[in-house]
Amino acid sequence: MPDDGPALLSFGVDRAMRALREHAAGRNVIAVLTDSTADQWYRRWERSGGDATQLAIVDCFDFTRGATTETRTNVVSNELVVTELERPLSGEGLQSVYDRFFDGWAESPRGTVVYVESLRDLREDTDGETVESLLERFRARTAQDGSGIVAGVPDDAVCEAVAFGDAFTETVGEPSFDSDAPTAVQRLRATDPTTFGYFRQYWRDAIEILDRIDRSYVQAGQLDTELSSRTLGATLSALAQLDALAVRADTNGPNRYDCRRYDRERAVELGLAVELLPE
């Protein structure tokens, strides 16, 4: 991604709209809407002072709206086009729509910013692998000066923020927690600073390992990881102390943990909470 184009993930719809307004001035915009209607979003965009050279709205709607076709495009003006895309969404359907806009603006010198209203909605309509593929495609198609991506997630969408965070170079806002995650990690820091240090540094690696375990316990000798058994064991110990992973046996090492009772959502919340703590 070029330095002057955004690759930005935002917690909160209003914050995402402000970020889009800041980065989209004088550029073309493709807005993928999964929560607002095209009319609702466009009114907010105008009130916010949004200034795009050309604006393409992809309105992803539920079939109960009464549409008779899967995709319908309405050219409102020379500057505004609205395409309605029926839900549930597919990666192929979305790619076909936004590729059409990219191709139409191929000769434009202004650059294009893709705005995704909710990565959570995209994941729920499709799956995580499809969203990752779409974000890769967005990056490829915006790989020129001034182009980029602005995507939003709800304030409590901690799993999506971690799952798709590698696609972005900047995050604005902070997640909200419905659990005691911030208090729990502060307590661990106070009572067991060594284990806390391992967790703070390696929690993403541990979650990645746990996500690909297909047995009831971690098989340390068969893991494709650069983490030592000691490092992994200490990080998993932190997850156990923080009530995100159960212990299966009173032994030492990674194999003592019961992956059948692994709470991924809590693990992610704890990880984001620890990253928000001051050094």
Side-chain angles (χ1 to χ4, degrees):
M1 188 70 64
D3 291 339
D4 63 346
L8 185 146
L9 178 65
S10 170
F11 284 100
V13 173
D14 292 339
R15 193 177 290 110
M17 179 69 87
R18 290 195 297 269
L20 176 64
R21 182 188 62 202
E22 176 184 346
H23 290 287
R27 295 169 178 159
N28 303 318
V29 171
I30 301 173
V32 181
L33 309 183
T34 53
D35 186 37
S36 309
T37 67
D39 288 342
Q40 290 169 339
W41 188 87
Y42 188 68
R43 285 196 295 269
R44 285 205 305 273
W45 172 249
E46 287 193 312
R47 287 198 300 269
S48 74
D51 178 25
T53 301
Q54 290 183 295
L55 176 60
I57 297 176
V58 183
D59 183 358
C60 304
F61 66 92
D62 295 318
F63 72 91
T64 52
R65 201 180 289 185
T68 57
T69 58
E70 214 174 277
T71 304
R72 182 173 59 194
T73 297
N74 179 26
V75 179
V76 181
S77 68
N78 290 334
E79 294 77 34
L80 175 61
V81 177
V82 178
T83 292
E84 294 181 338
L85 191 62
E86 186 176 324
R87 299 173 80 167
L89 304 172
S90 70
E92 295 81 4
L94 278 170
Q95 180 172 321
S96 174
V97 169
Y98 67 68
D99 272 348
R100 188 167 72 246
F101 292 122
F102 276 118
D103 292 342
W105 296 337
E107 303 303 319
S108 172
R110 302 180 184 92
T112 298
V113 176
V114 178
Y115 170 79
V116 181
E117 187 172 38
S118 174
L119 288 178
R120 172 182 281 179
D121 286 347
L122 284 189
R123 181 188 62 79
E124 290 178 348
D125 264 32
T126 57
D127 54 62
E129 185 176 344
T130 297
V131 175
E132 287 180 2
S133 177
L134 285 169
L135 290 173
E136 281 185 23
R137 184 68 172 166
F138 287 150
R139 289 201 302 272
R141 301 241 38 180
T142 57
Q144 57 179 293
D145 290 343
S147 296
I149 310 170
V150 174
V153 291
D155 289 336
D156 62 347
V158 292
C159 288
E160 288 80 7
V162 170
F164 308 126
D166 288 345
F168 304 93
T169 59
E170 180 183 359
T171 300
V172 296
E174 295 182 356
S176 63
F177 299 97
D178 294 330
S179 70
D180 68 336
T183 302
V185 294
Q186 291 183 58
R187 187 185 305 119
L188 180 65
R189 179 165 63 177
T191 59
D192 191 346
T194 299
T195 301
F196 170 84
Y198 278 106
F199 179 68
R200 183 168 211 163
Q201 186 167 357
Y202 298 109
W203 70 271
R204 290 179 183 270
D205 301 272
I207 287 176
E208 182 181 344
I209 290 167
L210 290 169
D211 283 347
R212 63 176 189 260
I213 295 297
D214 58 1
R215 302 206 176 202
S216 62
Y217 57 93
V218 182
Q219 292 184 299
Q222 299 179 22
L223 291 175
D224 180 17
T225 175
E226 296 181 359
L227 296 186
S228 68
S229 294
R230 175 182 175 138
T231 298
L232 177 58
T235 309
L236 295 181
S237 174
L239 286 171
Q241 292 184 55
L242 294 165
D243 297 323
L245 181 65
V247 175
R248 64 183 292 272
D250 189 16
T251 60
N252 293 322
N255 291 359
R256 70 191 293 256
Y257 300 104
D258 186 354
C259 298
R260 294 169 301 183
R261 290 184 288 164
Y262 159 54
D263 187 338
R264 186 183 192 281
E265 184 171 350
R266 177 164 176 80
V268 169
E269 285 191 338
L270 292 163
L272 286 184
V274 82
E275 288 190 347
L276 293 174
L277 291 178
E279 295 289 346

